[in-house]
Amino acid sequence: MKQINHLGENKRVPLDLKSTINLPRTGFPMKANLPQNEPKILARWEQMKIYERIRDARKGAPVYVLHDGPPYANGPIHLGTAMNKCLKDFIVKSKCMSGFDSPYVPGWDCHGLPIEIKVDQQLGGKKLQMRPVDVRAECRKYAEKYLDLQRQQFRRIGVFGRWDEPYSTMTPQYESAVVAELYAFLEKGFVYKGLRSVYWCIHDETALAEAEVEYENHTSPTVWVKYPLRDDPAKLDPALQGKKVFTVIWTTTPWTLPASMAVAFHPDEKYVAVESEGEVYIVAEKLAGEFSNKAGLMGTRKIAHFSGKKLEYLNFAHPFLDRAILGVVADYVTMDTGTGVVHTAPSHGAEDFATGVKYKLDLTGNVDEKGIMRNGLPEYDGKQVFAANEPIVELLRKRGVLMHAEKVEHSYPHCWRCHNPVIFRSTEQWFISMETPIEGGTLRSRTLDEIKKVKWDPAWGEERISNMIATRPDWCISRQRVWGVPIAIFLCEGCGNPLNDPALNRKVIEFFGRFGADAWYTPEADALATGAKCGSCGSTKLVKETDIIDVWFESGSSHVAVLGREPNLPWPADIYLEGADQYRGWFHSSLLCGIGAQGRPPYRMVATHGWTLDEHGSAMSKSRGNDVDPVDVADRFGAEIVRLWAASVDFREDVVGSEKVMQQVAENYRKIRNTFRYILGNLADFDPKRDAVAFEQLEEIDQYMLRQASEVSEQVKRWYAEFAFHKIYQRLNQFCVVELSAFYFDVLKDRLYTFAPKSRARRAAQSTIWRIGEVLVRLLAPIMSFTCDEVWQYMPALPDRPESVHLSGFYRNEEILGGNPDVNSKQDQDWATLRAIREHVMKALEESRNSKLIGSGLEAQVQVTAADPAYSVLKRFEDQLRYLFIVSSVKLAQGSGNGASGVKIEVSKAPGKKCERCWNYSTRVGEDKAYPTVCERCSAVLKEIEAEDP
């Protein structure tokens, strides 16, 4: 560098060596401060309308639709709902970056019992004096409160979507779509109203569908009860002539015995008459020994055998009521425990009810909606069913018909909302028949056929939902509550038959679309049926049905409420993604709605994720105190950590989320962030348009690393297509930590820091890390949405570069390799050999450091002795080995052996002096008198710098 003094003379001024080192410079901070910075990024996205901008950018591209399963609007989000939304966001963003137009319309399930119960608690006795429409208004306020809260929380974790125009099951447009779907079933003959024994929650006082029942452990009193045979025993078998004969039933629900109308035997099983102390007991032969032991029978002998079929139509007596009990046969009688005989109470069991219909038994129920027993004996009348168990057991004991009693813990149906045990209760309900004939079969058979055409991920989902459809009863779609979409059907006041008038149905659909379902409870709704008359009896006196429709039918109708109404939201959806419990819930009801009303499934693919567990494998729950609040994690660590955690686990399995796990993810985040910071710090003076070096002019190590990046890019894009986000997390984390930070970036520091700023070698290094940065920032953008958009703002500017990484696409191979897509397998093999030998060298250097032979690696000289083919590879790269091993000198010798395993490493002190600029040792330090403290390599660089800056 030259200066002009006061005499006008050019005078050479030595360069400040420190100033000639190309140290990293970037405004991209090392510390993320995610909790503070993420809200600023969210505000920027909001200001630039990022979701709408993405839609504009993808206009005309192939459409890929993920249809959102609506979360319930009755509380803040939890880790499971956060994971669900993150997974959906990964899919939508990765599809957009893969060239699709992938819109996302979030939705909320706002009707149903949990909200109504909460509002009941708030209103107390006041509710009894309120009109239904006013109660519904209070429920709406409650749902809106949590819809807004959850929307805010989902946005906080970086999920993109049409948040200002979501779908909600309580909007007029949605409610009209639900009644339209109901009418589609009604007009095709699926819907009927009838007396059935259905699941009933006595706590919530409503019928339940199978999807609303879950099984939990429950302790029940178990009784063995004898029913006297009224018929002549000799008709059954001559050996029974003149004997006192009984059959013995076994039940875990003594409270159902007052409703007992029959005793059921299996038609194909063998039964035996066991005599003991003057009485004869008819039980299944397979269970006779167990029964005798339980009942404490003495001196037993078997005196007759007969098939279950022979017991059909025998007459028995009720154990404590004056009632004839019919012998019936049923395939559902099992031989795993008990006596092989079960009592039949048609009003308290689905199978019992079917048997009651078959044998024309009394189907009347004497248990009210609160579970109180009515019209019974004083011992149990007026008691709640479960409280009636003990009095009935005592009654059996007093009547001398109790053979044995004990407590048993078993799996029992519970209401999945209030978690109280449920009962079967016969009531009039609305149903959708699974066996109504349609084109190609029935609703059941057609659904089973269509299931095979859907892609299920995991694959076992197909069998699970098929089994559920194959065995489910008719769908009970009515609920005796207020907060929901009413079953908008007019009934004849005279004969009770429903009106099925398509013209009237269209008027109701339009009415709901204009005024919402609340309007069903107004006089204006009554006026809709003016002039209509019953198709059965001709009466014009009509009444409105007051039951509401099952919320699963509501949410199952979401596909017709949301899809097929806008050009970029076609029907059916490409994918549904929810938790595995939705095989009995949303997947199930949506499938039945799609087949019944539209004739095909509403989705092409179904993916399911597991439950969130604590680190001990227990399900997370606020009541247990083992839950991890995603909002709290976002406030302390950053939403990016929640997102990265969701990507780190294989969502198809149950996944662990804990404070410890979140800390581990945060540490991995830091390593990935440091990778980006290294890249950005070394691109401060790099302009791709001016400085980029073509692929074919790069150093071989640079070419090798770009091919590695290209391979990683192809793997990751394939895994995005497969939704294998955990593989993406693992591979990119490994690429950043092992292949970049521990290898390439480590080797590259010398070239980036000490070479002349504008030298071709340094520009080649910058060109490589720039392209790698472009690859990584795009590949990670769907997952690390905040950080990658932050990185994007610091990447070198390019003409027409989008404002956000989320408006870009994944880097193409030709962009990474500069139109050189051919795989150079020989070069890749050579570098695999070099990296393997480098590992040996690094280990030897570490041992030398530990023995105090050297301090840093630059103090070392390494002699490598190797045999072919390794020696030939080393010889070809001999001039680069000192940089590859980060030592001052490398000597190469040919030896015997095989490949990398035959390599011998010797470490010694490097000869010469330490260069003050690059810290390498050289015997030529001081040869350049202008720079007496630097090595020959730095001397040349300094001259190049002086030439650039005369």
Side-chain angles (χ1 to χ4, degrees):
M1 188 170 110
K2 295 182 179 178
Q3 286 184 351
I4 300 175
N5 64 16
H6 69 285
L7 299 175
E9 297 171 333
N10 284 333
K11 187 175 180 182
R12 187 178 179 286
V13 178
L15 289 168
D16 173 35
L17 295 182
K18 187 177 180 181
S19 68
T20 67
I21 301 297
N22 309 307
L23 293 175
R25 290 182 291 111
T26 179
F28 182 74
M30 180 172 64
K31 190 172 181 181
N33 287 321
L34 292 173
Q36 293 75 37
N37 290 330
E38 285 172 345
K40 297 174 185 175
I41 296 173
L42 288 169
R44 177 174 166 270
W45 286 340
E46 178 73 15
Q47 187 271 331
M48 68 182 288
K49 297 188 179 297
I50 186 66
Y51 178 78
E52 292 76 13
R53 292 276 295 278
I54 294 172
R55 298 281 68 74
D56 290 342
R58 298 291 179 265
K59 194 169 290 182
V63 177
Y64 185 93
V65 176
L66 182 153
H67 179 46
D68 190 33
Y72 202 64
N74 71 331
I77 69 172
H78 52 76
L79 194 60
T81 48
M83 179 177 76
N84 175 274
K85 276 295 189 285
C86 285
L87 293 173
K88 291 173 180 175
D89 199 45
F90 300 162
I91 291 174
V92 169
K93 283 175 177 164
S94 63
K95 287 296 180 184
C96 287
M97 297 194 76
S98 298
F100 290 90
D101 179 9
S102 187
Y104 177 63
V105 181
W108 275 272
D109 187 355
C110 299
H111 287 141
L113 205 52
I115 289 174
E116 189 171 346
I117 290 171
K118 288 289 186 183
V119 171
D120 283 357
Q121 293 170 354
Q122 292 174 4
L123 295 175
K126 180 182 174 184
K127 181 188 177 185
L128 299 175
Q129 283 76 47
M130 294 173 67
R131 299 177 303 160
V133 70
D134 295 326
V135 175
R136 290 170 62 87
E138 292 299 317
C139 291
R140 185 178 300 277
K141 287 179 190 175
Y142 186 94
E144 285 172 344
K145 170 186 172 182
Y146 285 106
L147 188 157
D148 288 339
L149 174 64
Q150 290 184 9
R151 171 165 47 194
Q152 171 193 335
Q153 292 174 331
F154 288 139
R155 291 176 109 158
R156 174 64 187 89
I157 59 175
V159 179
F160 288 176
R162 201 170 77 181
W163 295 111
D164 295 332
E165 295 180 72
Y167 80 85
S168 153
T169 61
M170 63 181 180
T171 63
Q173 180 268 328
Y174 193 99
E175 292 169 334
S176 69
V178 173
V179 293
E181 194 83 340
L182 173 64
Y183 293 148
F185 277 89
L186 180 67
E187 292 167 16
K188 291 179 181 180
F190 289 104
V191 180
Y192 68 92
K193 190 174 188 180
L195 184 68
R196 288 288 185 276
S197 186
V198 297
Y199 285 118
W200 186 274
C201 179
I202 61 176
H203 179 80
D204 296 326
E205 299 179 30
T206 186
L208 301 174
E210 280 202 327
E212 297 169 309
V213 172
E214 59 187 18
Y215 283 80
E216 300 177 14
N217 283 342
H218 181 73
T219 300
S220 299
T222 307
V223 291
W224 283 253
V225 181
K226 61 183 181 181
Y227 282 55
L229 177 65
R230 279 186 170 180
D231 291 342
D232 181 0
K235 291 181 181 179
L236 184 59
D237 191 283
L240 302 179
Q241 176 73 43
K243 296 185 181 292
K244 294 174 65 177
V245 179
F246 304 84
T247 191
V248 182
I249 66 93
W250 168 86
T251 182
T252 58
T253 54
W255 66 265
T256 62
L257 288 171
S260 182
M261 299 294 171
V263 286
F265 306 89
H266 195 289
D268 302 322
E269 292 290 344
K270 297 295 183 184
Y271 286 80
V272 63
V274 178
E275 187 173 33
S276 174
E277 298 180 0
E279 293 188 347
V280 177
Y281 309 104
I282 298 172
V283 295
E285 188 169 30
K286 291 177 181 176
L287 295 166
E290 178 186 330
F291 159 68
S292 297
N293 291 334
K294 292 279 189 185
L297 301 183
M298 307 293 290
T300 60
R301 67 188 186 102
K302 297 176 182 178
I303 61 174
H305 295 77
F306 23 77
S307 71
K309 184 67 178 171
K310 195 172 182 181
L311 300 165
E312 187 178 24
Y313 295 114
L314 286 178
N315 288 293
F316 296 85
H318 193 281
F320 55 81
L321 296 175
D322 183 14
R323 179 187 299 158
I325 298 294
L326 184 65
V328 301
V329 294
D331 291 337
Y332 55 77
V333 178
T334 63
M335 299 292 138
D336 52 353
T337 190
T339 63
V341 188
V342 295
H343 91 95
T344 299
S347 58
H348 297 301
E351 292 170 329
D352 295 43
F353 189 91
T355 298
V357 171
K358 176 181 175 181
Y359 288 94
K360 297 182 172 55
L361 303 175
D362 184 356
L363 307 176
T364 305
N366 286 298
V367 172
D368 69 15
E369 67 277 4
K370 297 180 185 295
I372 304 301
M373 303 188 72
R374 303 295 184 192
N375 306 316
L377 298 179
E379 284 87 348
Y380 55 82
D381 190 55
K383 294 186 183 298
Q384 189 248 36
V385 289
F386 298 114
N389 277 326
E390 288 306 320
I392 289 173
V393 172
E394 186 57 32
L395 177 61
L396 293 170
R397 188 175 284 111
K398 286 180 180 177
R399 296 293 179 95
V401 292
L402 182 65
M403 303 288 296
H404 178 67
E406 62 184 42
K407 299 283 187 180
V408 62
E409 185 175 345
H410 60 134
S411 183
Y412 188 86
H414 286 64
C415 174
W416 78 338
R417 293 192 178 97
C418 68
H419 298 286
N420 286 298
V422 301
I423 65 172
F424 270 98
R425 177 173 177 259
S426 61
T427 61
E428 264 208 336
Q429 301 291 338
W430 290 92
F431 296 89
I432 288 176
S433 170
M434 295 297 294
E435 306 304 335
T436 298
I438 57 175
E439 185 178 349
T442 63
L443 179 57
R444 189 188 309 277
S445 66
R446 276 291 315 283
T447 303
L448 290 171
D449 289 341
E450 292 293 330
I451 285 170
K452 300 170 186 174
K453 302 174 185 177
V454 174
K455 181 179 180 182
W456 302 90
D457 183 11
W460 50 254
E462 179 178 346
E463 182 180 4
R464 177 177 289 192
I465 199 163
S466 293
N467 290 339
M468 289 179 173
I469 295 293
T471 59
R472 68 157 297 139
D474 287 352
W475 185 358
C476 178
I477 59 169
S478 49
R479 299 292 180 273
Q480 291 65 51
R481 304 300 297 190
V482 172
W483 181 230
V485 175
I487 296 177
I489 294 176
F490 289 93
L491 304 169
C492 176
E493 195 172 301
C495 66
N497 285 333
L499 265 69
N500 189 359
D501 181 348
L504 177 57
N505 294 344
R506 301 288 86 72
K507 287 167 67 176
V508 176
I509 293 169
E510 182 183 348
F511 183 70
F512 273 44
R514 292 176 62 198
F515 304 109
D518 288 353
W520 184 249
Y521 302 91
T522 66
E524 287 77 10
D526 299 330
L528 293 172
T530 302
K533 61 182 179 180
C534 175
S536 299
C537 69
S539 173
T540 57
K541 291 184 177 180
L542 307 173
V543 294
K544 293 179 298 187
E545 175 59 72
T546 56
D547 284 355
I548 63 169
I549 200 162
D550 175 18
V551 290
W552 286 113
F553 187 95
E554 271 196 54
S555 61
S557 302
S558 62
H559 59 98
V560 292
V562 179
L563 306 181
R565 294 171 178 264
E566 300 174 28
N568 71 331
L569 285 171
W571 188 97
D574 289 287
I575 187 171
Y576 277 30
L577 168 65
E578 300 300 331
D581 57 331
Q582 296 307 314
Y583 286 105
R584 64 180 179 138
W586 191 55
F587 299 154
H588 193 118
S589 63
S590 297
L591 181 62
L592 291 178
C593 285
I595 303 297
Q598 284 73 41
R600 55 186 284 210
Y603 40 66
R604 294 187 176 94
M605 177 180 178
V606 170
T608 55
H609 61 76
W611 296 100
T612 51
L613 310 176
D614 65 16
E615 53 195 348
H616 304 296
S618 300
M620 285 191 176
S621 142
K622 286 187 179 179
S623 60
R624 290 182 183 148
N626 66 343
D627 62 313
V628 174
D629 182 356
V631 177
D632 174 64
V633 174
D635 289 342
R636 292 187 296 116
F637 295 101
E640 204 79 296
I641 304 308
V642 178
R643 298 178 64 87
L644 205 54
W645 164 78
S648 72
V649 295
D650 183 355
F651 69 81
R652 293 161 181 83
E653 308 290 337
D654 290 344
V655 301
V656 173
S658 66
E659 182 78 10
K660 182 179 178 182
V661 168
M662 293 299 171
Q663 289 174 350
Q664 291 169 346
V665 171
E667 177 60 23
N668 286 335
Y669 167 84
R670 185 186 63 80
K671 293 174 182 177
I672 295 172
R673 185 178 182 88
N674 284 345
T675 300
F676 279 124
R677 193 164 189 272
Y678 179 101
I679 292 170
L680 295 173
N682 286 289
L683 295 177
D685 63 339
F686 180 76
D687 179 350
K689 194 174 180 182
R690 178 193 67 205
D691 303 321
V693 177
F695 180 86
E696 56 273 12
Q697 296 178 329
L698 298 175
E699 303 285 335
E700 283 203 42
I701 190 173
D702 302 332
Q703 293 178 350
Y704 165 70
M705 286 309 300
L706 284 179
R707 278 198 302 276
Q708 294 295 105
S710 174
E711 181 181 319
V712 168
S713 177
E714 290 304 302
Q715 286 176 331
V716 169
K717 286 187 281 189
R718 183 174 71 253
W719 288 331
Y720 269 125
E722 297 170 359
F723 312 137
F725 307 119
H726 63 296
K727 293 182 180 178
I728 295 170
Y729 170 85
Q730 291 162 3
R731 184 67 185 94
L732 290 179
N733 187 55
Q734 180 194 40
F735 186 64
C736 288
V737 174
V738 177
E739 290 158 86
L740 292 180
S741 296
F743 170 58
Y744 184 58
F745 288 176
D746 205 25
V747 172
L748 214 56
K749 285 177 183 175
D750 184 79
R751 197 173 1 144
L752 286 169
Y753 295 179
T754 69
F755 280 44
K758 299 177 183 178
S759 64
R760 189 201 59 79
R762 183 168 180 272
R763 291 304 192 201
Q766 289 179 304
S767 299
T768 304
I769 63 171
W770 164 62
R771 291 186 180 113
I772 290 173
E774 290 283 1
V775 171
L776 287 177
V777 73
R778 297 161 194 256
L779 289 179
L780 280 164
I783 296 170
M784 293 174 54
S785 296
F786 291 97
T787 301
C788 289
D789 212 33
E790 182 188 6
V791 170
W792 189 260
Q793 311 309 313
Y794 290 93
M795 290 291 286
L798 286 169
D800 302 322
R801 187 178 184 81
E803 188 177 348
S804 165
V805 68
H806 301 297
L807 296 169
S808 69
F810 291 134
Y811 229 35
R812 302 187 308 275
N813 259 359
E814 52 267 34
E815 294 175 290
I816 303 171
L817 303 177
N820 295 272
D822 294 338
V823 175
N824 190 331
S825 57
K826 175 64 171 67
Q827 192 182 63
D828 289 348
Q829 288 171 9
D830 287 350
W831 277 100
T833 299
L834 290 170
R835 289 184 65 179
I837 294 171
R838 185 178 187 269
E839 289 299 314
H840 288 291
V841 172
M842 293 297 108
K843 184 178 179 182
L845 290 172
E846 183 64 26
E847 290 171 354
S848 296
R849 271 192 290 270
N850 291 338
S851 67
K852 309 299 183 185
L853 175 63
I854 58 170
S856 74
L858 292 176
E859 295 179 17
Q861 173 177 274
V862 171
Q863 177 166 310
V864 182
T865 304
D868 274 331
Y871 176 78
S872 296
V873 175
L874 290 164
K875 190 66 179 174
R876 190 162 73 82
F877 287 90
E878 187 170 12
D879 291 344
Q880 299 177 43
L881 294 179
R882 57 179 286 202
Y883 308 118
L884 182 64
F885 301 154
I886 316 177
V887 295
S888 289
S889 175
V890 175
K891 289 187 174 182
L892 196 56
Q894 188 163 12
S896 59
N898 182 32
S901 60
V903 172
K904 181 182 178 183
I905 311 296
E906 295 177 80
V907 179
S908 59
K909 294 282 285 185
K913 295 180 180 178
K914 181 179 179 180
C915 172
E916 194 176 292
R917 183 173 179 273
C918 71
W919 295 3
N920 277 263
Y921 284 75
S922 172
T923 57
R924 298 178 62 188
V925 170
E927 282 187 356
D928 186 342
K929 302 306 178 186
Y931 291 98
T933 61
V934 303
C935 65
E936 70 284 4
R937 188 177 59 131
C938 286
S939 173
V941 169
L942 292 172
K943 288 175 182 176
E944 188 176 343
I945 293 172
E946 284 190 311
E948 291 174 357
D949 184 22

